[in-house]
Each structure stands twice: as structure tokens, then as C-alpha cells.
């Protein structure tokens, strides 16, 4: 692709080489396990680096290669690998750069399963984890030890949506020889430019906005060439692979990701601004709101926001909260996010560095592609139910 093309244009054209060679639009689904060879020389020199060359179904097919190449170029990296879930991508990425006796630094606001992996799996492998406050910035240098090999950030943070100063963290980490990993699921490559901000390994739960339709599990990791070999080795040794149908759904989702994210941004911000004015709300945790304490960092480093954010309500009894949520028409209660539908859940963030003591219940909202006026009307009716039961309590 020409360097002057925007990412929106790239999304419509990348990863289609196999398709265009056959005069069709979409890259087909290649189902394969055994890949045959015509000569002994070809067999003995087959490429097993999980990238581009057909060797065995687990190492990839033209469908998965197309998705890998699209994500790598979209994010400005050199290579990408696919995983059967976002958590698989996280696990492989961390494990790739550590050995027994090493130490890593992980932001205190990470995805809870990432914390569980560090505390239950890595510790058994002899890798120690220290958690750091999301606002640490360049101060992370004080936590780096001689055996610290990796710094893991997630901006914004899960549930509470703090923005971290990734360029400052990365600068300090690189001075000490550490690799910087970032979970870029919330912003996607469209709204956060990982590699120009100092990130070495960008991780995506592509189940969310890449797939975009709540019907496939998928993880993607993008790296520069210098960090690819350890990741490829761990991925191959652990047997990770992605079904070609899921890779196809990832490719299909990417084609519309830019228009979907623009609408998620617009809808999410409209609902967040409305919630800020509600008497039942203590605070809205959305970094794109001008009054948010992390807004300046968000504005500096991001070019947009997704539809996911948090809302802290004022104190409310559980039955009133249940009545509010269970009676919603447009919101479903469920894990994950990033699809076209609106979701709502209660959250209880695990913290080990800074205590999380909210004024009332914390809700996580994913604002979908419905008309924001309808979403607001649904939430308004929900607050009416909450207030009635709260008054009767």
C-alpha cells in the first residue's frame, strides 16, 4: 500500500492478494491440516516460522496469513501472529520474553485474567510480577530491577479506564533493556499508534472490535522484526493455531472496523455526556470526556475512543440495581464487548497497589450501534426503576 493512504483505505484493500489473483473480492477460507510437497527437497526445507509459507495447517493457511499481514501493516509493525483468544495472545506474549528468575512489571489496572496468569502460572515458572500504579509514568524506572525483562501496560485500564503515559513508561523501560507490551484492544490500531508511542509488542483481543459481531474468539499480536523470533518460538511450541473460519471472520470484521468505531465513539460519548448529568451517577469513567482526570493524556496519544467505559453510581441497594439492569431492553448482561450490541455488567476491579473504593456500584457499559437516543431512553427508564425501589427501601 502507498504510504500516503489512510488506515481506513488500507482496511478495504490489505490482505486480498490471494483473492485478487483469482478475480474475487474476499480471501477464501482455506481448510487444511496436511500440506503436501512435490519433492523431498521441498519437504525437508519447509518453513515453520508461522508466517507466510505453507508447511502444516497449524502453522497457517492463506486465510490466516492474510489477516496477519493486514494487522501488521495496519498497526505499523512488521509481523503478526494469530491466537484462539485474546487471553491466549496475552499468555504467549508474556511468556515469550521471560525465563525462570526474571521479574516483570504489570500495570495494576490490567484485565483480570492477565493478573491471574501472572499470579498463578508465571509464578510457577519462577517469574516474579510487581504491579504498578497506572499514573506512574517515568517513575517506573524506580521499580526496574537488574532482572526486570518486561513491562506490561494496558491503556485505558480495564474497568476504571485510566490512561497511562506509555511514551514515558517505554522510554524508561527501554533504557533498562526491557520489552514493552501493550494491550491495545480498546483503541485498536485506528485510535492508538502503538509503535510510534514506544510499544514493542501490541496485543489485541480481536474477539472485540476486529471481529465486531460477537461470533468468534480471536487474538492477534503485532511486533517489529526484532521481537518476533521469541514470540514465534513460544507460539509454535505451545501449539497455538486459529481455525480458518475464525480468521475469515476477523478479516471480514476489519473491512468495516473504521466505520463501526466511528459510530461507537459517537454513541459512547453521547451516552457518557448524558450520564454525567444524571443525579444517580457519581462519576463517568470515560477518558474522552473533557472533565476526566486522564483526558489530557488521552487527547495527546489517542485519535478516538471506543464504546466501552465505566460509570460509578451513587450508593444503591442491590435489588434496585438489579431492577434497573434486568429491565433494560437494549442492553444485555454479558462478558466481552466490541460487537454491534450494547452490553452492561457490574464490576469489582482487583487492585493491589492503589485501593479501589467507589462511592457506589461500578457498571461497565459497552455502547453499541443502536441509535443513541434509544439507548438513553432505555437507561432513563432503568434509572426510574432504580429510584422507585431505592425510595421504597
Amino acid at each position: 500500500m502507498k504510504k500516503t493512504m489512510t488506515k481506513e483505505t488500507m482496511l478495504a484493500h490489505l490482505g486480498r492478494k490471494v483473492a485478487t489473483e483469482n478475480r474475487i473480492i474476499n480471501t477464501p477460507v482455506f481448510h487444511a491440516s496436511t500440506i503436501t510437497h512435490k519433492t523431498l527437497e521441498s519437504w525437508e526445507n519447509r518453513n515453520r516460522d508461522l508466517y507466510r509459507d505453507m508447511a502444516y495447517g497449524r502453522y497457517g493457511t492463506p486465510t490466516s496469513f492474510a489477516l496477519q499481514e493486514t494487522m501488521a501493516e495496519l498497526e505499523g509493525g512488521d509481523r503478526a501472529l494469530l491466537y484462539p483468544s485474546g487471553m491466549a495472545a496475552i499468555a504467549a506474549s508474556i511468556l515469550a520474553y521471560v525465563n525462570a528468575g526474571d521479574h516483570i512489571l504489570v500495570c495494576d489496572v490490567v484485565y483480570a485474567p492477565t493478573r491471574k496468569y501472572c499470579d498463578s502460572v508465571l509464578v510457577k515458572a519462577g517469574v516474579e510480577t510487581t504491579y504498578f500504579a497506572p499514573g506512574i509514568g517515568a517513575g517506573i524506572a524506580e521499580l526496574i530491577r537488574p532482572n526486570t525483562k518486561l513491562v506490561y501496560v494496558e491503556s485505558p485500564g480495564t474497568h476504571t479506564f485510566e490512561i497511562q503515559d506509555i511514551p514515558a513508561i517505554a522510554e524508561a523501560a527501554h533504557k533498562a533493556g526491557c520489552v514493552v507490551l501493550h494491550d491495545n484492544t480498546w483503541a485498536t490500531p485506528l485510535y492508538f499508534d502503538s509503535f510510534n508511542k514506544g510499544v514493542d509488542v501490541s496485543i489485541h483481543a480481536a474477539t472485540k472490535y476486529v471481529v465486531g459481531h460477537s461470533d468468534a474468539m480471536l487474538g492477534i499480536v503485532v511486533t517489529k522484526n526484532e521481537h518476533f523470533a521469541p514470540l514465534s518460538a513460544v507460539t509454535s511450541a505451545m501449539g497455538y493455531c486459529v481455525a480458518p473460519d475464525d480468521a475469515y471472520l476477523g478479516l471480514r470484521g476489519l473491512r468495516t472496523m473504521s466505520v463501526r468505531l466511528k459510530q461507537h465513539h459517537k454513541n459512547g460519548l453521547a451516552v457518557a455526556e448524558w450520564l454525567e448529568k444524571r443525579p444517580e451517577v457519581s462519576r463517568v469513567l470515560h477518558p474522552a470526556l473533557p472533565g476526566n482526570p486522564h483526558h489530557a493524556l488521552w487527547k495527546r496519544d489517542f485519535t478516538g475512543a471506543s464504546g466501552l467505559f465505566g460509570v460509578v453510581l451513587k450508593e444503591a441497594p442491590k435489588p434496585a440495581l438489579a431492577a434497573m439492569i434486568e429491565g433494560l431492553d437494549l442492553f444485555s448482561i454479558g462478558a466481552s464487548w466490541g460487537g454491534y450490541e450494547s452490553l452492561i455488567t457490574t464490576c469489582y476491579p482487583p487492585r493491589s497497589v492503589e485501593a479501589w473504593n467507589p462511592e457506589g456500584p461500578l457498571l461497565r457499559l459497552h455502547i453499541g450501534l443502536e441509535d443513541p437516543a434509544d439507548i438513553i431512553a432505555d437507561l432513563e427508564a432503568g434509572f426510574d426503576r432504580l429510584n422507585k425501589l431505592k425510595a421504597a427501601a
Side-chain angles (χ1 to χ4, degrees):
M1 301 297 292
K2 295 179 181 178
K3 297 297 183 183
T4 55
M5 288 186 179
T6 65
K7 289 185 177 181
E8 287 79 4
T9 299
M10 291 166 67
L11 282 174
H13 293 275
L14 290 173
R16 290 176 50 199
K17 185 174 183 293
V18 172
T20 53
E21 285 174 351
N22 292 280
R23 295 180 296 168
I24 56 179
I25 297 297
N26 289 315
T27 300
V29 179
F30 286 83
H31 292 100
S33 56
T34 299
I35 310 297
T36 60
H37 296 254
K38 290 184 178 181
T39 67
L40 182 61
E41 181 183 12
S42 172
W43 167 254
E44 292 186 343
N45 291 290
R46 65 195 184 280
N47 192 332
R48 306 187 208 186
D49 77 347
L50 308 186
Y51 210 75
R52 295 193 179 97
D53 293 332
M54 297 278 285
Y56 179 56
R58 180 161 65 84
Y59 301 129
T61 70
T63 312
S64 54
F65 297 154
L67 179 55
Q68 289 173 174
E69 291 166 8
T70 299
M71 277 295 288
E73 190 161 351
L74 184 67
E75 192 150 42
D78 294 315
R79 295 191 174 195
L81 289 177
L82 308 185
Y83 298 85
S85 69
M87 189 59 230
I90 292 167
S93 297
I94 295 175
L95 190 61
Y97 305 102
V98 296
N99 293 296
D102 286 345
H103 170 253
I104 68 173
L105 293 168
V106 176
C107 189
D108 199 34
V109 294
V110 292
Y111 180 51
T114 303
R115 180 185 290 267
K116 185 176 181 180
Y117 175 76
C118 294
D119 294 346
S120 64
V121 177
L122 281 186
V123 69
K124 292 180 181 178
V127 178
E128 183 184 358
T129 300
T130 297
Y131 295 96
F132 61 88
I136 198 169
I140 199 168
E142 299 177 10
L143 299 180
I144 296 176
R145 307 174 187 173
N147 65 332
T148 304
K149 295 297 191 295
L150 180 154
V151 177
Y152 189 102
V153 291
E154 182 182 320
S155 185
T158 291
H159 299 318
T160 45
F161 300 92
E162 296 91 343
I163 299 294
Q164 290 118 67
D165 191 342
I166 291 180
I169 291 171
E171 183 178 3
H174 290 155
K175 284 180 180 178
C178 298
V179 178
V180 178
L181 280 63
H182 175 226
D183 185 332
N184 197 23
T185 303
W186 185 87
T188 82
L190 295 179
Y191 291 162
F192 185 81
D193 194 352
S194 293
F195 297 105
N196 283 330
K197 297 293 189 297
V199 173
D200 300 307
V201 180
S202 184
I203 305 165
H204 301 267
T207 304
K208 276 67 172 179
Y209 286 121
V210 172
V211 171
H213 293 76
S214 303
D215 53 5
M217 302 293 293
L218 186 66
I220 304 176
V221 180
V222 183
T223 73
K224 291 289 190 178
N225 283 326
E226 58 266 33
H227 297 293
F228 182 73
L231 181 69
S232 177
V234 164
T235 302
S236 178
M238 295 183 73
Y240 282 132
C241 63
V242 169
D245 298 272
D246 292 341
Y248 175 83
L249 290 173
L251 273 171
R252 168 168 280 193
L254 277 176
R255 304 307 180 198
T256 62
M257 189 170 72
S258 65
V259 293
R260 286 187 286 106
L261 274 175
K262 286 176 183 176
Q263 198 63 42
H264 284 299
H265 173 120
K266 180 181 176 181
N267 289 2
L269 203 52
V271 175
E273 290 170 346
W274 177 80
L275 285 166
E276 277 194 311
K277 301 171 185 175
R278 291 294 305 192
E280 303 87 354
V281 171
S282 177
R283 50 193 165 122
V284 179
L285 310 179
H286 193 312
L289 290 171
N292 185 281
H294 308 282
H295 180 71
L297 273 180
W298 173 82
K299 191 173 182 179
R300 186 195 73 182
D301 292 344
F302 292 75
T303 58
S306 68
L308 190 76
F309 61 93
V311 179
V312 179
L313 301 183
K314 294 177 181 176
E315 190 172 351
K318 199 66 170 282
L321 184 64
M324 173 194 172
I325 294 174
E326 292 170 7
L328 293 170
D329 292 322
L330 301 182
F331 288 83
S332 298
I333 305 170
S336 198
W337 42 274
Y340 53 83
E341 76 288 358
S342 291
L343 295 172
I344 188 168
T345 62
T346 51
C347 298
Y348 305 92
R351 295 289 186 269
S352 57
V353 179
E354 295 178 341
W356 171 251
N357 296 309
E359 305 87 299
L362 170 62
L363 303 180
R364 188 185 73 180
L365 278 65
H366 178 256
I367 305 303
L369 301 179
E370 304 94 340
D371 188 312
D374 291 331
I375 295 172
I376 288 170
D378 196 25
L379 288 171
E380 187 167 30
F383 280 130
D384 288 343
R385 291 188 297 273
L386 181 142
N387 289 328
K388 286 178 182 177
L389 281 184
K390 190 175 178 180

